[in-house]
């Protein structure tokens, strides 16, 4: 290129800042990162400051509480109801990075809605979100304590592309004309006077993001086998790998799948995650992306809309079944035996929630054991005798549930960090489950048994509504009432005798 015609990168950035100011300079994000970073840098009152920052945003509050209660973070058996406790569970730094990532997605979505190049901008934003999903799953496989930092850096890795598509769509068109769609980075120096990576780093610095996050946004090649990898390089390596995988995963085709395999294998040694674990992490990310993204071919938008409609109709029908079963139980609570009430409840939840399998466990006090007594689901009768365990406490999800007075919902039973909380008998008989529910039954503060139901891989990812939780708790209360009524009758009978 003729030096006389060389584009001045500084002028490009000046124009970019003018555009962002004209469109509000992403005010929500700029203000949010200031308070988030301030809370992260705080000293004696940093936990309190972070709590205040999170509580100022209802959406962020909900996300933080959900994460704190997930299998990956929650201390076993605890339920986190307050942001203050969530800060203690996750730590100020992890919540800070989580908040930054969520705020970035939120603000880019708002910017995208008003951007003239909305289609290109939306694509770049969803690719960035997909990269964050890949990073989250790979970091989890690596047992990294810096998962949220890695996610933010992966979201930011292609920030330069997002900024240009959002705020300078005419430059984006020129990049595509010069190099072709998908190869815009190759023409950046010619059209912008600086690389896309330099645009992203300049934007991050403009917002005042910390140096460690800006460092994690840079592109790095896979390290040589046996080479020592610093924390900064590990984060940058993961964000590079995640962004490149997202670009290939986006198209959801065979060529992209082969490229993802090549990319993950090349970064496997550097990230300390075996290739097969990489593959599993990518599959989990694809599963999440298929449900959370809206225009990516990977998400199959039309098919997803049809499934969502069918799921809504199915949920409505399922809630009617739960309500009908609950009405039957109310009619019979003063006359039916506990076993009969459990049978009605088990059948109702099996049909109403469309469980793959449903099992009722009863405590035998004389033998000191819990054993499965009733079941629904293909092949379950043959396994009934194998589903039993001692009442002596063990640190697993079922013993924790038995000491609880609420319905327990496990969204992802296959999370590697959750494996230690699953007992051997469950792994031998029910391990096909992806999600499951436990309805603990207590009488006079003593465990009496529980109802279990699960969904396998044939179902889309499950999220129970507050209505469904309420119906399940009402059902559980009626079974407990029947158990307590029997105990009262037995006590009267013993006194008379």
């Amino acid at each position: 290129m003729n030096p006389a015609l060389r584009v001045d990168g500084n002028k490009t950035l000046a124009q970019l800042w003018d555009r962002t100011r004209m469109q509000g300079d992403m005010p929500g994000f700029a203000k949010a990162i200031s308070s988030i970073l301030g809370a992260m840098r705080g000293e004696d009152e940093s936990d309190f400051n972070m709590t205040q920052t999170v509580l100022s945003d209802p959406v962020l509050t909900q996300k933080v509480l959900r994460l704190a209660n997930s299998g990956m973070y929650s201390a076993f058996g605890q339920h986190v109801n307050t942001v203050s406790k969530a800060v203690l569970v996750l730590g100020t730094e992890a919540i800070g990075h989580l908040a930054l990532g969520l705020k970035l997605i939120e603000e880019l979505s708002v910017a995208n809605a008003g951007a003239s190049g909305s289609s290109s901008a939306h694509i770049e934003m969803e690719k960035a979100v997909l990269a964050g999903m890949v990073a989250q799953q790979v970091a989890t496989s690596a047992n990294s304590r810096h998962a949220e930092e890695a996610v933010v850096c992966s979201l930011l890795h292609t920030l330069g592309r997002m900024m240009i598509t959002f705020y300078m769509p005419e430059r984006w068109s020129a990049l595509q004309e010069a190099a072709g769609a998908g190869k815009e980075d190759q023409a950046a120096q010619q059209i912008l006077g600086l690389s896309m990576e330099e645009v992203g780093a300049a934007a991050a610095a403009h917002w005042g993001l910390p140096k460690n996050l800006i460092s994690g946004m840079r592109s790095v090649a896979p390290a040589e086998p046996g080479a020592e990898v610093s924390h900064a390089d590990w984060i940058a390596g993961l964000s590079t790998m995640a962004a490149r995988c997202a670009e290939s995963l986006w198209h959801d085709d065979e060529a992209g799948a082969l490229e993802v395999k090549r990319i993950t294998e090349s970064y496997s040694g550097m990230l300390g995650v075996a290739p097969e674990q990489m593959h599993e992490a990518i599959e989990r990310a694809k599963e999440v992306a298929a449900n959370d993204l809206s225009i990516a071919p990977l998400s199959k938008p039309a098919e997803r809309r049809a499934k969502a409609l069918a799921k809504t109709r199915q949920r409505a029908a399922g809630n009617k079944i739960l309500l009908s079963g609950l009405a039957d139980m109310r009619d019979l609570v003063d006359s039916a035996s506990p076993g009969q009430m459990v049978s009605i409840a088990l059948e109702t939840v099996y049909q109403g929630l469309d469980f793959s399998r449903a099992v009722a466990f009863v405590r035998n006090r004389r033998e000191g054991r819990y054993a499965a007594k009733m079941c629904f689901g293909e092949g379950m009768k043959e396994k009934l005798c194998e589903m039993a365990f001692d009442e002596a406490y063990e640190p697993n999800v079922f013993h924790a549930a038995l000491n609880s007075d609420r319905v327990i919902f496990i969204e992802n039973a296959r999370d590697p960090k959750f494996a230690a909380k699953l007992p051997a008998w469950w792994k031998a008989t029910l391990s096909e489950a992806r999600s499951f529910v436990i309805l603990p039954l207590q009488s006079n503060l003593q465990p009496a048994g529980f109802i279990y139901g699960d969904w396998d891989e044939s179902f889309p990812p499950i999220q129970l509504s507050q209505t469904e939780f309420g119906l399940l708790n009402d059902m559980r209360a009626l079974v407990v009432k029947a158990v307590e009524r029997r105990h009262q009758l037995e006590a009267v009978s013993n006194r008379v005798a």
Side-chain angles (χ1 to χ4, degrees):
M1 182 177 180
N2 187 334
L5 300 177
R6 189 178 300 279
V7 176
D8 186 342
N10 290 325
K11 289 185 178 179
T12 297
L13 291 178
Q15 185 180 7
L16 181 60
W17 308 150
D18 286 341
R19 295 281 180 90
T20 57
R21 278 192 293 273
M22 287 171 58
Q23 297 186 33
D25 196 22
M26 297 181 73
F29 185 56
K31 183 178 179 181
I33 64 171
S34 176
S35 60
I36 291 166
L37 293 175
M40 291 174 73
R41 292 170 184 148
E43 295 178 0
D44 295 340
E45 297 182 352
S46 62
D47 289 352
F48 179 70
N49 290 337
M50 184 58 76
T51 299
Q52 283 188 315
T53 299
V54 172
L55 286 173
S56 67
D57 186 327
V59 174
L60 185 57
T61 298
Q62 183 265 330
K63 294 278 189 180
V64 165
L65 289 176
R66 181 178 175 188
L67 181 67
N69 282 290
S70 70
M72 186 167 70
Y73 283 103
S74 64
F76 185 70
Q78 76 180 43
H79 185 62
V80 180
N81 296 299
T82 64
V83 172
S84 297
K85 190 172 182 181
V87 172
L88 295 177
V89 173
L90 274 68
T92 303
E93 183 177 357
I95 286 195
H97 288 134
L98 170 69
L100 286 172
L102 291 170
K103 275 296 177 186
L104 176 64
I105 295 171
E106 177 186 333
E107 292 301 326
L108 289 181
S109 298
V110 173
N112 173 55
S116 56
S118 59
S119 177
S120 295
H122 198 168
I123 289 172
E124 291 304 313
M125 184 193 74
E126 286 210 348
K127 285 180 181 178
V129 172
L130 178 54
M133 294 172 178
V134 171
Q136 176 73 66
Q137 296 299 331
V138 174
T140 299
S141 296
N143 293 317
S144 172
R145 295 184 296 106
H146 305 284
E148 273 60 56
E149 180 182 353
V151 170
V152 176
C153 291
S154 298
L155 285 165
L156 293 169
H157 189 82
T158 55
L159 181 59
R161 293 173 64 88
M162 287 187 279
M163 294 296 289
I164 298 301
T165 55
F166 291 140
Y167 298 114
M168 306 180 80
E170 77 287 353
R171 296 285 190 104
W172 184 256
S173 297
L175 289 165
Q176 291 188 319
E177 289 177 10
K183 300 178 181 179
E184 297 84 4
D185 292 35
Q186 297 177 13
Q189 286 288 352
Q190 174 189 347
I191 304 297
L192 304 175
L194 67 174
S195 68
M196 288 291 191
E197 186 172 323
E198 289 171 329
V199 173
H206 182 73
W207 289 330
L209 288 176
K211 291 181 179 179
N212 66 301
L213 292 183
I214 297 176
S215 172
M217 294 164 54
R218 59 195 164 89
S219 296
V220 297
E224 293 295 326
E228 186 175 344
V229 179
S230 67
H231 168 70
D233 285 347
W234 189 89
I235 292 290
L238 178 54
S239 70
T240 303
M241 183 278 298
R244 292 178 182 176
C245 282
E247 179 68 34
S248 297
L249 286 171
W250 169 267
H251 303 288
D252 194 33
D253 56 20
E254 186 176 347
L258 290 173
E259 180 63 9
V260 168
K261 186 174 185 294
R262 185 195 68 77
I263 293 169
T264 53
E265 288 179 351
S266 68
Y267 280 90
S268 173
M270 179 180 187
L271 300 178
V273 181
E276 57 271 18
Q277 287 182 289
M278 283 279 208
H279 174 73
E280 292 173 0
I282 294 294
E283 289 302 310
R284 290 196 298 271
K286 286 172 61 178
E287 186 176 292
V288 175
N291 288 280
D292 287 359
L293 301 184
S294 60
I295 64 171
L298 175 65
S299 71
K300 298 178 175 59
E303 179 183 328
R304 187 176 166 218
R305 282 193 294 271
K307 283 185 177 179
L309 180 60
K311 187 175 178 182
T312 300
R313 289 172 177 168
Q314 181 180 335
R315 277 293 174 84
N319 285 350
K320 288 181 180 179
I321 293 173
L322 294 178
L323 285 166
S324 297
L326 197 55
D328 289 343
M329 293 175 69
R330 287 195 179 103
D331 289 341
L332 297 169
V333 68
D334 292 326
S335 59
S337 69
Q340 290 169 329
M341 293 292 282
V342 168
S343 179
I344 297 171
L346 189 68
E347 178 185 351
T348 300
V349 297
Y350 177 68
Q351 294 182 343
L353 293 177
D354 207 12
F355 282 138
S356 301
R357 290 90 56 94
V359 189
F361 288 76
V362 176
R363 182 184 184 184
N364 186 318
R365 294 176 183 273
R366 285 190 296 273
E367 296 181 5
R369 287 174 65 76
Y370 292 90
K373 295 298 182 184
M374 309 174 196
C375 63
F376 290 102
E378 186 176 351
M380 289 305 293
K381 287 186 178 179
E382 293 80 0
K383 296 179 179 180
L384 203 61
C385 62
E386 300 176 52
M387 292 183 285
F389 58 96
D390 292 338
E391 65 179 16
Y393 182 82
E394 293 180 5
N396 64 55
V397 67
F398 292 93
H399 276 289
L402 286 165
N403 292 314
S404 174
D405 61 351
R406 64 186 179 91
V407 173
I408 304 295
F409 171 53
I410 304 301
E411 182 179 356
N412 182 12
R414 299 182 180 181
D415 187 329
K417 292 183 178 294
F418 193 70
K421 302 171 186 178
L422 294 167
W425 66 264
W426 183 92
K427 293 176 181 177
T429 57
L430 298 167
S431 61
E432 292 178 6
R434 178 174 60 190
S435 305
F436 63 82
V437 173
I438 305 171
L439 281 69
L441 306 173
Q442 288 190 351
S443 174
N444 298 319
L445 302 179
Q446 291 295 314
F450 62 94
I451 291 173
Y452 167 95
D454 67 31
W455 298 271
D456 61 21
E457 286 289 348
S458 64
F459 289 78
I462 298 293
Q463 277 296 323
L464 292 181
S465 68
Q466 288 303 311
T467 298
E468 288 162 330
F469 272 114
L471 293 172
L472 291 176
N473 273 313
D474 289 347
M475 206 170 296
R476 188 173 62 87
L478 288 173
V479 174
V480 169
K481 186 175 180 180
V483 172
E484 292 178 344
R485 185 176 62 82
R486 186 187 68 177
H487 288 169
Q488 290 170 358
L489 292 174
E490 289 175 348
V492 171
S493 177
N494 290 336
R495 284 199 298 270
V496 172

